[in-house]
Amino acid sequence: YVLLEADGDYAAAVQGCTQLIDQLKRTKCEKTIGVLADSLLSCGEWTKAYGVGSSKQVREAYLTKAVKAALRCPQDNSTLWTSRTFRAHLALAEISSLLFENTMTRLRSAEWASKMDYLESLETAKSENEQTIRSLSPKKKVKMTKSQQKEQQQQLSKLKNDNKLIEKEISVILDEKKQEEAPIRTYLEGSLEQFGRALCIHAGHAESTTKAVIRMVLLWFSAWQNFDFVNETMNKLLPKIPSHFFVPLTYQIFARLDQSDSSLFQDVLSELVSRMVEDHPYHCIVQLITLSNGSMKDGKHSQDSTNAKADAAERIIGDLERGERTIIGKLLHSYDEVITAYIDLAVACADIFVQKRQKQRIKMSQVLGSSKKRLDTIIDKQMYKPCILTKPPILQTDGNYGDGQVAPPGTALIKGFAPTFDVSPSGVSRPKVVMCEGADGQWHKQLVKKDEIRQDAVMQQVFRFVNVLMRKEGRESYGPSRELRLVTYQAIPLSPDTGVLEWVLETCSFGSTIVSKEQKVAGLHDRYYPGEWAQSACRALLEKAKPAEKRETFDTVCSNFSPSFRYFFLERFGDDPMRWHTAKMKYTRSCAVCSIVGSMLGIGDRHAENILIHMRTGEMVLIDFGIVFEQGKKLPTAETVPFRLTRNVVDGMGNCGTDGPFSRAAEETTRVLRENQAALLTILSAIVADPLFQWSEAAAKAGKKQRDEAAQQDTNGIVPVPVVAGIDQNENDAGVAVISKIQQKLQGIEEGTASEKQTVEGQVRHLIIAARDPDNLCKLFVGWAPWL
């Protein structure tokens, strides 16, 4: 039957499997219980996947029975038993979750709301009729003529008959309401319990367990306020589930802490957070301390306002410091000192050195004084040293990270910091570049920023999840030698307005490669096209152009600024044809993955400095995620392209351009995302619902950034004064709209396609055309440099 299903004969597979199930039930042989469990599970999954039966039927007739049969199987082969039982629990959890979500969608629909309004109007009419009946039937007799009595009796009779009809209608609607609401607890509680049991078994299914824990946490967070039993269920389940499953969702889980809420939800959540920190301190302590810094601004805690999340984090830190595991308290103290030192450096003013054109090897003592709590001195006195923040250890499922004196696997303890720092040549807040030395003797370059970097951290979280999908799905059809992936880096928020980022080594910005900002070093364009227009001339001309002249001016600029990025590969890898070809292919494929993922997630602000190129591999690296989820369309100068695919980007791909390797890699990326849209939408739903992830405020911040950049770089003194588009006030509605938009894209529906679902090839071709359309490019903000 598996072969029939694989060949696409779904009806025959389901029918044959059903007959086998009936036969196995009749035999009642314990030796075939495993075959029965597998048959029930397969038949249920096929029936659901191919729409042969309803979800309710699948749950009751197949998957519930599959779980019972799997649990009855002998455990002489523990691997087989674990795998089978895990699959059964997970399948039952997913179908129960689907039924719960479908029921809630029905109960929240406009049609249901209209029906409930009608029910309310019926109950009101019934009440008014009863009141009229009582008024027409006084306790004391009133003298009336026969005609009046007859008229009164007729009126009473009519009112009573009306009420009988109304009562019947009310009864029908109430029965329907009861029928819809009755299974809610069964579905929701059953889903949570089955997810929990699957995670307790897990059996090493990394991808499936990741999806399971995300679904379970999302269900918990979305349902606990409406259903009291949810927290009681989670209170029983969570202690049995290994805590390492929750570490990938640390940001989303910790963000729900709230000291002002005294509900059972907070008790259960606090217990989970404490257990995560105790079991995996090197992965969770930084996030907990960061949350406790929630009231901090410009490096100082605000005394004028309270922060319920920060207070909750402080309470948990206090409890952990007083707990039985003294090592946790000592690590908390060490990490807090280092994080405070990072924040002090981030907010320290270095303008005087920039004005003196001293941007390198600035002594920390010159900006922070002789304090022993400086970043370069704080480590010396610590007994339990933190790990390098931008190099977290490998997650240990057993929670064994050593005694705190030796580095956990995959990282190194901090030995110290160089006493000097550099000031980044770009960036509004002048980020500082520091060197952190590990106990293993390796130096790690880090960027310390006074800026909100939680969005960077969260988008890296999404990118890592996408890489998991790409590794599994992409390798199977695209081949291991042509691996598709996104280059990721560590981004660690330390407070609402500070953070530290891993420096992606051996990279340079796409823009500075073509047009160097340093006078001593000429960029590719200046070296290979010395007689053509300079970058500043292109910008000035396009900036002056009126809207009606934009396209013509853009064409003029392009004709005087030739693409030159192909020479990057010639200069870096031209000594060996194989290295040149490999680097060019890696660049092309990484560009395709970045483009498609960026388009699906609505990642904007892809100007030439927000894209890096790896000098050793040629891969593209995306940085700075201030604009995500289509917020670029709300900018003063709205973004009109799905991703950056300008002439220089295409020039690096060689003679094939966007045809060939780029298109195929883009199509494969689109296919993987489409096939795994349920998993992707689940983690995105958890992220969008994160109360600390202020993605919807990005348009206002980016609008200010556009104006600031225009003011800094405008050579003509003409600065437009745009109006920032309004931001959705209702975060829930905005979040639902975001997920809905992403879901449409994952189904092949793009703007300009008349809401028609495109094939994978059609969608990719549509996006490429939109990204390269001169009519779209000429409308972009000049700081985006669309000619580059």
Coordinates of all heavy atoms in Angstrom, one line a residue, residues 282 387-394 408-412 440 442 444 446 490 492 502:
Y282 N 24.2 28.7 29.8 CA 25.0 29.4 28.8 C 24.1 29.9 27.6 O 24.6 30.7 26.8 CB 26.2 28.6 28.3 CG 27.2 28.3 29.4 CD1 27.2 27.1 30.0 CD2 28.0 29.3 29.9 CE1 28.1 26.8 31.0 CE2 28.9 29.0 30.9 CZ 29.0 27.8 31.4 OH 29.9 27.5 32.5
C387 N 30.9 32.5 28.8 CA 31.4 32.1 27.5 C 31.3 33.3 26.5 O 30.7 34.3 26.8 CB 30.4 31.0 26.9 SG 30.5 29.4 27.7
I388 N 32.0 33.2 25.4 CA 32.0 34.3 24.4 C 30.5 34.4 24.0 O 29.9 33.5 23.5 CB 32.9 33.9 23.3 CG1 34.4 33.9 23.8 CG2 32.8 34.9 22.1 CD1 35.3 33.2 22.8
L389 N 30.0 35.6 24.1 CA 28.6 35.9 23.8 C 28.2 35.5 22.4 O 27.1 35.0 22.2 CB 28.2 37.3 24.2 CG 27.6 37.5 25.6 CD1 28.6 37.1 26.7 CD2 27.2 39.0 25.8
T390 N 29.1 35.8 21.5 CA 28.8 35.6 20.1 C 29.1 34.2 19.6 O 29.1 33.9 18.4 CB 29.5 36.6 19.2 OG1 30.9 36.7 19.5 CG2 28.9 38.0 19.4
K391 N 29.5 33.3 20.5 CA 29.8 31.9 20.2 C 29.2 31.0 21.2 O 29.9 30.4 22.1 CB 31.3 31.7 20.1 CG 31.7 30.4 19.5 CD 33.2 30.2 19.4 CE 33.6 28.8 18.8 NZ 35.0 28.6 18.8
P392 N 27.9 30.8 21.2 CA 27.2 30.0 22.2 C 27.6 28.5 22.1 O 28.0 28.1 21.0 CB 25.7 30.2 21.9 CG 25.7 30.5 20.5 CD 26.9 31.4 20.2
P393 N 27.6 27.8 23.2 CA 28.0 26.4 23.1 C 27.0 25.5 22.4 O 25.9 25.9 22.1 CB 28.2 26.0 24.6 CG 27.2 26.9 25.3 CD 27.2 28.2 24.5
I394 N 27.4 24.3 22.1 CA 26.5 23.3 21.5 C 25.5 22.9 22.6 O 25.8 22.7 23.7 CB 27.3 22.1 21.0 CG1 28.3 22.4 19.9 CG2 26.3 21.0 20.5 CD1 29.2 21.3 19.6
P408 N 32.2 24.8 27.9 CA 31.3 23.8 27.4 C 31.7 23.5 26.0 O 32.4 24.3 25.3 CB 29.9 24.4 27.5 CG 30.0 25.6 28.4 CD 31.4 26.1 28.3
P409 N 31.3 22.4 25.4 CA 31.6 22.0 24.0 C 31.1 23.1 23.0 O 30.0 23.6 23.1 CB 30.8 20.7 23.8 CG 30.7 20.1 25.2 CD 30.5 21.3 26.1
G410 N 32.0 23.4 22.1 CA 31.6 24.3 21.0 C 31.8 25.8 21.2 O 31.5 26.6 20.4
T411 N 32.4 26.1 22.4 CA 32.7 27.5 22.6 C 34.0 27.7 23.5 O 34.7 26.7 23.6 CB 31.5 28.2 23.4 OG1 31.7 29.6 23.5 CG2 31.3 27.6 24.7
A412 N 34.2 28.9 23.9 CA 35.4 29.1 24.8 C 35.0 30.1 25.9 O 34.1 31.0 25.6 CB 36.6 29.6 24.0
D440 N 40.9 29.7 24.7 CA 41.6 28.9 23.7 C 42.6 29.6 22.9 O 43.2 29.0 22.0 CB 40.6 28.2 22.8 CG 39.7 29.1 22.0 OD1 39.8 30.3 22.2 OD2 38.8 28.6 21.2
Q442 N 41.9 32.1 20.7 CA 41.3 32.6 19.5 C 40.7 34.0 19.8 O 40.1 34.2 20.9 CB 40.2 31.7 19.0 CG 40.7 30.3 18.6 CD 41.6 30.4 17.4 OE1 41.4 31.1 16.4 NE2 42.7 29.6 17.4
H444 N 38.0 37.0 18.8 CA 36.7 37.1 18.2 C 36.3 38.6 18.0 O 36.2 39.3 19.0 CB 35.6 36.4 19.0 CG 35.9 34.9 19.2 ND1 35.4 34.0 18.4 CD2 36.7 34.3 20.1 CE1 35.8 32.8 18.8 NE2 36.6 32.9 19.8
Q446 N 33.8 41.6 17.4 CA 32.4 41.9 17.8 C 32.1 43.3 17.5 O 32.9 44.2 17.6 CB 32.2 41.5 19.3 CG 32.4 40.1 19.6 CD 32.3 39.8 21.1 OE1 32.5 40.7 21.9 NE2 32.1 38.6 21.5
Q490 N 25.5 35.7 15.0 CA 24.9 35.9 16.3 C 24.6 37.4 16.5 O 25.5 38.2 16.3 CB 25.9 35.4 17.4 CG 26.1 33.9 17.3 CD 24.8 33.1 17.7 OE1 24.0 33.5 18.5 NE2 24.7 31.9 17.1
I492 N 23.0 39.5 19.7 CA 22.6 39.4 21.1 C 22.1 40.7 21.7 O 23.0 41.6 22.0 CB 23.8 38.9 22.0 CG1 24.6 37.8 21.3 CG2 23.3 38.5 23.4 CD1 23.8 36.5 21.1
E502 N 28.0 39.4 16.3 CA 29.2 38.7 15.7 C 29.6 39.4 14.4 O 28.8 39.7 13.6 CB 28.8 37.3 15.5 CG 29.9 36.5 14.8 CD 29.4 35.1 14.4 OE1 28.2 34.8 14.5 OE2 30.3 34.3 14.0

